[in-house]
Structure formats: C-alpha cells, structure tokens
Amino acid sequence: MKIGELYRRNVYGVIGTLVFHILLFSAFLLADVDIKGNVKEEAILIEFPEELLEPEIAEPETQEENTDQPNSEQNTNTRTNIASNRSATENTTNSTDEFFDDDYLKEVEAAKQLVSNVNNNLAKETVDLSDIEMPVETTEGMDRDSIKNVIYAGESNIVYYLENRYHLSLPVPVYLSQGGGTVIVDIVVNRQGQVVNAEPREDRSIRDKQLFAYAKEAAIRTLFNSDNSAPSRQKGTIQYTFVAQ
C-alpha cells in the first residue's frame, strides 16, 4: 500500500526525471560531448550523385577543331601581313615619286632616250664603204723617180712602205671621219699591184672605231705598179693620219 501511495505521489516527478534524462542523453548523442565537456563538431558530408562524379571524355572532333583554330589564325595573320606589305610598298613608291622634282624626272627621261638612241645606232647595219667616194692621188704622167711614198693632204698625211714599188692610185680617206688619229694597215700586194689583203692594226687610243673601216677600205682600193720580179704576195704597210672634223 505504501508503495502504491508513494508512486502516486511521485509519479509526475519520476516521469519528469525520465524525460529530462532522455533529452539529456539525446543531446549527448547529437553533440558527442566527451568526458571533459568539449564539444566535437562533426564534418558535414554531402553526397553527390554518381553521374556527376564521372569525368567527361572529350570527343576527338572537338580536339581537331581546337587544333585547326591556330592554323586559321596563322592564315589570317599571313594575309594581313601581305596586305600591309603591299600597302607599304605602294606608299613608298608614291613617296619616292613625290620626292623628285620635275627637272630631275626630265633628266632621267633624257638619259633614257640617249641610251635608246645609242642602242639603235649600234643595232644598225654597217655602212657599205664601197659606195663611199674618196679623193684619189695618182701618179699618171709622173716620172718614177719623182714619186714619193709620202702624200700630204693638208694637215693630214699618208705614208706607205712597199719595197721597190710605188703607187699608181692612192685613195685619201683622212677627212671622212669625225674623229682623229693614226691607223696603220698591214697590206699584201700581188705582182699586178693589187692589194689582196688589208688588216688595220689595233689601237685602243683611237675612240672613233670608224677610222679602222675607212683605212681598210682605202688600202683595198690602192693600186701599185706591176712587177713580175716581185714576190707573188709582197707585204707592206700604209699609214693613215686622220684629222678630226
């Protein structure tokens, strides 16, 4: 009886005590309190779905597109550089043209014209010297002993050397050329007195090369006396002194 009465009197206290201990135990479980009273915070774990954790595999086509992109950029840069170079070249040309004045450009054109004229003259065919008329020195009616091998024509002269022979007809070309100078021609004469070969000697001091052609033509036209006792091919020389006109 005493136990029952005691229970009835303290039932609410017992229930309150039980509830308090339950709550306290639950708090210990949640807070994980150690013996010293320190609270340990538990790490919060967040789980992700497995689909999100799987790494994505890049497709080959995407890599090829990324690889081709630098080439496209290089091609674009190359075209840009070419266009810039062309523009710079055009600007330089225009600046050069503006730099020179009209007088300078006229001189350049005149020089070009002069070069063109010289080239045209050099391209022309050699003049046919056989059609050129030359004064002729003859010994017709003269005594053989009075004939000299030196012929004077004003400031010029012609001198020939052919042993025991004298001229019958000697053309004088010394006033045909614009330039001046002395040309020596080696000749070969037959027994009939005809010049069968004539070769001017080279002389670099003579600027007017036409002198050599005139001298050779005059030597070929020269006629000496015939001599059956002379060598069949007698050698000699004729020297022409040209006067500049």
Side-chain angles (χ1 to χ4, degrees):
M1 295 292 291
K2 293 181 178 180
I3 295 172
E5 292 178 355
L6 181 62
Y7 175 76
R8 286 194 295 273
R9 292 178 182 176
N10 300 308
V11 62
Y12 295 107
V14 172
I15 293 172
T17 302
L18 290 174
V19 171
F20 174 76
H21 284 85
I22 291 171
L23 294 174
L24 182 62
F25 181 75
S26 299
F28 285 160
L29 291 177
L30 294 175
D32 193 15
V33 179
D34 59 7
I35 299 176
K36 295 182 180 181
N38 296 328
V39 178
K40 294 183 179 178
E41 296 182 355
E42 291 187 359
I44 299 174
L45 299 177
I46 300 176
E47 296 182 358
F48 294 91
E50 294 181 358
E51 295 180 357
L52 296 177
L53 295 178
E54 293 180 359
E56 295 183 357
I57 300 175
E59 295 181 0
E61 295 180 356
T62 304
Q63 293 179 354
E64 291 179 358
E65 293 177 358
N66 293 335
T67 304
D68 294 338
Q69 184 175 1
N71 294 332
S72 299
E73 293 178 356
Q74 292 178 357
N75 293 335
T76 303
N77 293 335
T78 302
R79 290 193 296 269
T80 304
N81 293 335
I82 293 174
S84 301
N85 293 336
R86 289 178 179 174
S87 178
T89 302
E90 292 176 357
N91 292 334
T92 302
T93 303
N94 294 334
S95 300
T96 303
D97 292 340
E98 294 176 357
F99 176 78
F100 298 108
D101 56 14
D102 293 338
D103 293 337
Y104 177 81
L105 296 177
K106 290 180 180 179
E107 292 179 359
V108 171
E109 290 299 328
K112 291 180 179 179
Q113 186 62 38
L114 178 60
V115 172
S116 178
N117 293 338
V118 171
N119 291 333
N120 291 334
N121 291 331
L122 293 176
K124 291 181 180 179
E125 296 181 358
T126 305
V127 179
D128 188 359
L129 297 178
S130 61
D131 297 333
I132 297 178
E133 295 183 0
M134 299 182 188
V136 178
E137 177 73 20
T138 66
T139 60
E140 185 178 357
M142 295 180 60
D143 182 71
R144 177 174 180 177
D145 294 335
S146 63
I147 299 174
K148 298 180 181 180
N149 66 336
V150 179
I151 307 301
Y152 289 94
E155 298 178 359
S156 180
N157 64 69
I158 302 174
V159 182
Y160 64 85
Y161 299 94
L162 189 64
E163 188 176 2
N164 297 325
R165 310 288 287 270
Y166 59 92
H167 72 279
L168 299 178
S169 176
L170 184 67
V172 181
V174 291
Y175 291 105
L176 292 178
S177 179
Q178 296 294 325
T182 299
V183 178
I184 299 176
V185 182
D186 292 313
I187 62 174
V188 177
V189 182
N190 61 17
R191 290 172 179 167
Q192 288 74 35
Q194 299 170 335
V195 178
V196 295
N197 189 38
E199 293 296 334
R201 295 181 183 177
E202 184 179 358
D203 188 345
R204 296 182 180 179
S205 64
I206 297 177
R207 296 182 179 180
D208 188 355
K209 304 305 179 183
Q210 194 66 27
L211 270 62
F212 298 102
Y214 289 137
K216 180 175 181 177
E217 181 63 24
I220 290 292
R221 295 186 188 183
T222 301
L223 180 62
F224 293 91
N225 66 297
S226 62
D227 187 353
N228 293 329
S229 63
S232 60
R233 294 177 61 85
Q234 187 175 358
K235 296 181 180 180
T237 61
I238 304 177
Q239 177 179 298
Y240 300 92
T241 301
F242 291 83
V243 177
Q245 302 300 303

